[in-house]
Amino acid sequence: MNQHFLNTFLFGIYPYICLTIWLLGSLIRFDREQYTWKSDSSQLLRRRQLRLGSNLFHIGILIVIAGHFVGFLAPHWMVSPFLNPSQHQLLAMTGGGIAGIVAIIGLTILLYRRLSDPRIRINSTHADMLALAILWLQLMLGLATVPMSLRHMDGAMFALLSDYVKGIVTLQFGAAELIAQAPLVYKAHIALAFTIFLVSPFTRLIHIWSGMATFGYLFRPHQIVRKR
């Protein structure tokens, strides 16, 4: 297969396929299978491991997601008065690296708990295991980019990746060309990130939508209570 076409497909077309399926699949599942819109709980089994692993994972992954969102989508004119590209990259590496380690420790505990206990394993679906395995691999790939980034602290690669993400979000034609020569680990990390969007409507990851919806709770109108 032509390398140029493969790069264009994986990083210029595949992202939109994944995002479209994520949105449409989520809407269809919410409309037709609302009772499956949840993350099945196994809290009654090995509760301490669940609490520790879940807290570490969710704290770490929320920081990672927020850091990616702000770091890659913030306009250059907004960041440049405070951080130059090298400082921006160092901040992303430090914060993302620490949060990624916390998240993968928590996820490893959750995976070990689910695989080592026959009672939990027999009540786990293949989709559950797939979701956890993909997230674990994605965190490992993300952490693998940290030592590679240390080799070029000029911030050029970080700026390039930021431009690519902005290009995808703003529907810019030819965004895939920006990372054509990027190292394989970065490409694998990006491709797997979009794959997570792709599988989300069909796995327990669908409950992420509910987590996002809780922000609306903070701005809900006051409840009116009438005394009899």
Side-chain angles (χ1 to χ4, degrees):
M1 183 180 292
N2 183 276
Q3 186 173 356
H4 175 74
F5 172 79
L6 183 61
N7 182 79
T8 301
F9 175 79
L10 285 178
F11 304 105
I13 300 173
Y14 182 65
Y16 296 113
I17 295 175
C18 296
L19 293 173
T20 301
I21 292 176
W22 174 56
L23 289 171
L24 294 180
S26 298
L27 287 172
I28 293 172
R29 183 168 176 179
F30 183 77
D31 182 60
R32 302 185 62 178
E33 301 180 28
Q34 291 187 24
Y35 288 109
T36 70
W37 191 281
K38 58 187 174 65
S39 176
D40 292 327
S41 175
S42 56
Q43 185 176 352
L44 295 177
L45 305 173
R46 294 201 181 187
R47 182 177 298 182
R48 290 184 179 179
Q49 277 190 337
L50 175 62
R51 183 183 298 113
L52 176 62
S54 181
N55 286 340
L56 288 175
F57 169 69
H58 282 93
I59 290 171
I61 201 67
L62 287 173
I63 295 174
V64 168
I65 292 173
H68 278 64
F69 183 82
V70 175
F72 286 125
L73 293 179
H76 293 307
W77 59 264
M78 186 181 295
V79 177
S80 56
F82 308 100
L83 298 170
N84 61 42
S86 180
Q87 293 170 332
H88 195 180
Q89 177 173 313
L90 180 61
L91 178 62
M93 289 167 51
T94 305
I98 294 173
I101 290 172
V102 171
I104 203 166
I105 290 174
L107 188 55
T108 301
I109 294 173
L110 295 177
L111 271 170
Y112 174 78
R113 171 182 173 273
R114 194 168 287 274
L115 291 172
S116 63
D117 191 316
R119 296 175 300 171
I120 301 177
R121 189 170 64 250
I122 201 171
N123 286 289
S124 301
T125 66
H126 293 302
D128 288 339
M129 302 309 301
L130 174 65
L132 292 176
I134 289 178
L135 288 173
W136 193 90
L137 179 58
Q138 179 68 342
L139 285 168
M140 282 299 297
L141 287 172
L143 290 173
T145 65
V146 174
M148 292 197 65
S149 298
L150 285 171
R151 300 176 186 175
H152 38 78
M153 287 300 299
D154 57 357
M157 180 57 67
F158 184 84
L160 189 70
L161 295 173
S162 179
D163 289 340
Y164 166 73
V165 174
K166 291 185 179 72
I168 292 296
V169 171
T170 57
L171 308 177
Q172 293 182 15
F173 179 78
E177 296 300 320
L178 294 173
I179 60 168
Q181 303 303 320
L184 182 60
V185 65
Y186 291 103
K187 290 186 173 182
H189 189 52
I190 292 170
L192 191 57
F194 287 115
T195 302
I196 291 174
F197 284 103
L198 177 68
V199 303
S200 290
F202 314 104
T203 67
R204 65 192 291 123
L205 296 178
I206 193 69
H207 78 280
I208 295 172
W209 278 111
S210 298
M212 293 166 61
T214 56
F215 287 107
Y217 180 81
L218 301 174
F219 305 100
R220 74 196 189 284
H222 294 293
Q223 183 178 15
I224 299 176
V225 180
R226 294 184 175 90
K227 296 181 180 180
R228 296 186 62 180

